[in-house]
Amino acid sequence: MLRAADDLLVERGFAALTMEGIAQRAGVAKQTIYRWWKSKVEILLDTLSDDAREALEWRVGEDDPHGDLKSHLQRVADFFEEPAGQVMQALLGHAQLDKDTAASLRDGFLREQRERDVAGLRAFLARSHDLSVDDRTVDRLVDLLLGPLHYRVLVLGKPIDEELVDTTARLVVTLARDSTH
């Protein structure tokens, strides 16, 4: 059912996605869908959370530290091109018009992903650069790390290129180092 929702969103867009269409694509009765989810937003939030958990995971590599951070940012860039990234974009767009969607998205997926990103960047800085950065600074560094990528995709509607990934990774590490002096 989650895969059917992903596929239909990519094929038809958010406005044309219906619970009936999801049920038909999944080969189940509409009542089965409604037993688990009240709306297409709820099913999309579940599919987003499931897909993003692995796709946006912070991974420990054996690469150079700058390369490890670039690899993570490239996974974020790739995520935006995948169906799950398109689900996220659709939900963020809908959240601008619907306060309940905005609250569900912020209180669920976005809060959880933010916690993973803060923990991931903190661990990366400690492991790769032996930097201990305070909570407030790590929080702001996550903004600086992910903000340019989100801006490029969500505001400008352009793909994320290697130069943006490289520059962003380099600047965030430099700012983390500077914050400890």
Side-chain angles (χ1 to χ4, degrees):
M1 291 182 277
L2 296 176
R3 176 161 286 163
D6 272 354
D7 293 346
L8 286 171
L9 176 78
V10 171
E11 291 171 20
R12 299 181 184 169
F14 184 83
L17 181 66
T18 64
M19 295 294 272
E20 293 80 10
I22 295 169
Q24 183 178 22
R25 175 66 65 94
V28 299
K30 190 167 56 169
Q31 294 81 1
T32 302
I33 301 275
Y34 281 109
R35 211 172 292 142
W36 295 96
W37 300 279
K38 294 176 186 162
S39 69
K40 68 182 180 181
V41 168
E42 285 186 11
I43 194 169
L44 290 173
L45 284 168
D46 277 357
T47 188
L48 174 61
S49 292
D50 287 350
D51 293 343
R53 196 170 295 113
E54 183 179 334
L56 299 177
E57 176 184 18
W58 284 75
R59 299 179 188 148
V60 176
E62 297 186 18
D63 204 3
D64 67 292
H66 182 68
D68 286 347
L69 192 54
K70 282 177 51 178
S71 292
H72 179 72
L73 291 178
Q74 189 58 56
R75 281 192 300 282
V76 173
D78 293 344
F79 176 77
F80 277 113
E81 300 296 322
E82 297 170 4
Q86 293 175 23
V87 167
M88 186 172 98
Q89 291 176 60
L91 286 169
L92 287 168
H94 187 65
Q96 303 309 303
L97 306 171
D98 183 85
K99 67 180 176 148
D100 292 336
T101 299
S104 293
L105 190 57
R106 287 185 185 117
D107 294 342
F109 169 74
L110 292 175
R111 180 188 49 77
E112 292 165 7
Q113 186 57 47
R114 179 64 175 213
E115 290 168 359
R116 288 188 290 269
D117 289 333
V118 167
L121 183 59
R122 179 185 312 290
F124 166 79
L125 292 171
R127 181 184 71 251
S128 302
H129 299 284
D130 199 28
L131 295 174
S132 179
V133 182
D134 65 80
D135 292 344
R136 185 171 182 229
T137 301
V138 172
D139 194 57
R140 290 210 161 96
L141 289 173
V142 168
D143 289 343
L144 294 170
L145 184 67
L146 298 172
L149 280 65
H150 288 215
Y151 182 81
R152 176 73 59 93
V153 171
L154 299 172
V155 175
L156 299 179
K158 294 182 179 180
I160 300 165
D161 58 35
E162 188 176 340
E163 183 180 0
L164 180 62
V165 166
D166 183 57
T167 301
T168 302
R170 207 169 353 92
L171 288 173
V172 167
V173 169
T174 299
L175 289 170
R177 282 187 187 130
D178 290 350
S179 74
T180 61
H181 294 114

